Amino acid sequence: MEISQRQTSRAAGWSRRTGAFSAVLLLTVLVGHRYDFVETPAFLWVLGIVALLAAFALLFAGLAFSRLWNFGDRGGRDLTVGTLLALLVLAPYGVAAYWAAAYPPLRDISTDFDDPPMLDTSTRTGDMNALSPPTPGEQRLQTETYPLVTGRSYNLPFDRVLHALKTVLDRRDWQLTAPFPEAIGQSEVTIGALAKSFVLGLPADVAIRVAEDGDAIIVDMRSASRYGRYDLGDNAARIVDFLAELDQEVAGQVGTTPAE
């Protein structure tokens, strides 16, 4: 009687190789995009390819498991490694999908609906998100979801507020679109900048407007994602964090708290 020799599952090997390649490709494109070696449109396409590769790794793992279970093929180690790598790669996509379901489909957030600060569009291209006034529905979504996104009113001289704002900006790695304006002879200025999200480094245009309104100085802010239908709360978080830090800077300099 002949004893059939156990075969090595080719699908298990492909699962390990595909999973490893997707992990390496994901890390490479993340680092490349963070340091501006990869443009954002290409980065988004590669993210899609990475997800597809990880899905194929899981598919190969399923085929390999079927062979191991039914015919006793070898390849359990490759199958396990491929599955773990694929799940590790797909985990951030699952988190992003959850955030997309939890956050409203907004990508342009402003503290002033009637007269939002003007964004610098000189470096925007046709493949980026179009800028348009918020609809009543979008205004309602923003108000309900992000109640902390509000402008600030300071009973301070114009130059003191502008100086505090510059101090906060200097702590961040945002790229200004123009030199920081001087306060002398000004009653309203708008500072434009390019910011990036913390994890993926996706770009967003930012505008901060400082304007006199009687005896008060009004600070409004706007942040708009350049790519993607969903900003996953990034723009609102950017505005809330920046204005909260501006409050602390103003209070630390002159001991004055703002009115929202």
Side-chain angles (χ1 to χ4, degrees):
M1 180 178 65
E2 282 188 25
I3 300 177
S4 60
Q5 187 176 4
R6 293 176 61 192
Q7 297 182 356
T8 299
S9 172
R10 297 178 61 184
W14 277 108
S15 175
R16 175 182 58 81
R17 286 189 288 269
T18 308
F21 182 66
S22 67
V24 172
L25 183 59
L26 178 62
L27 291 175
T28 302
V29 76
L30 283 174
V31 174
H33 185 255
R34 170 63 64 177
Y35 293 98
D36 297 327
F37 295 120
V38 180
E39 296 292 334
T40 300
F43 170 68
L44 297 176
W45 275 106
V46 175
L47 287 183
I49 294 173
V50 167
L52 186 62
L53 289 172
F56 270 114
L58 289 180
L59 176 62
F60 288 135
L63 294 175
F65 181 78
S66 176
R67 293 285 306 181
L68 266 67
W69 182 266
N70 293 313
F71 302 104
D73 287 0
R74 294 187 177 93
R77 180 178 299 178
D78 289 343
L79 163 65
T80 303
V81 171
T83 301
L84 291 177
L85 287 174
L87 293 176
L88 184 64
V89 168
L90 290 175
Y93 293 86
V95 174
Y98 171 77
W99 284 349
Y103 288 103
L106 299 174
R107 58 197 183 194
D108 189 349
I109 304 295
S110 175
T111 60
D112 187 347
F113 292 138
D114 298 327
D115 184 22
M118 187 67 65
L119 296 172
D120 187 347
T121 60
S122 60
T123 59
R124 296 181 68 93
T125 58
D127 60 340
M128 298 179 183
N129 292 332
L131 297 174
S132 58
T135 64
E138 291 173 339
Q139 295 180 16
R140 178 180 54 81
L141 280 176
Q142 178 183 317
T143 303
E144 294 175 352
T145 311
Y146 309 120
L148 297 180
V149 176
T150 58
R152 296 297 192 269
S153 176
Y154 301 101
N155 293 318
L156 293 172
F158 185 86
D159 60 336
R160 298 294 292 272
V161 176
L162 201 61
H163 180 267
L165 192 148
K166 185 178 187 302
T167 302
V168 177
L169 273 175
D170 289 341
R171 300 193 191 114
R172 299 172 181 259
D173 58 354
W174 297 356
Q175 180 183 350
L176 297 183
T177 58
F180 195 86
E182 297 290 338
I184 300 175
Q186 299 281 359
S187 61
E188 179 178 331
V189 297
T190 299
I191 299 98
L194 178 64
K196 293 186 177 181
S197 61
F198 177 71
V199 178
L200 297 180
L202 296 176
D205 290 302
V206 177
I208 309 168
R209 184 177 62 209
V210 184
E212 288 184 356
D213 184 14
D215 295 332
I217 304 299
I218 306 299
V219 179
D220 281 302
M221 189 171 175
R222 181 181 180 184
S223 181
S225 300
R226 288 189 168 186
Y227 298 94
R229 182 183 177 187
Y230 297 85
D231 66 1
L232 306 182
D234 177 66
N235 291 306
R238 180 178 295 112
I239 292 175
V240 171
D241 292 344
F242 184 90
L243 293 180
E245 190 173 346
L246 179 61
D247 292 344
Q248 296 176 358
E249 182 64 29
V250 170
Q253 288 188 10
V254 298
T256 301
T257 57
E260 295 186 358

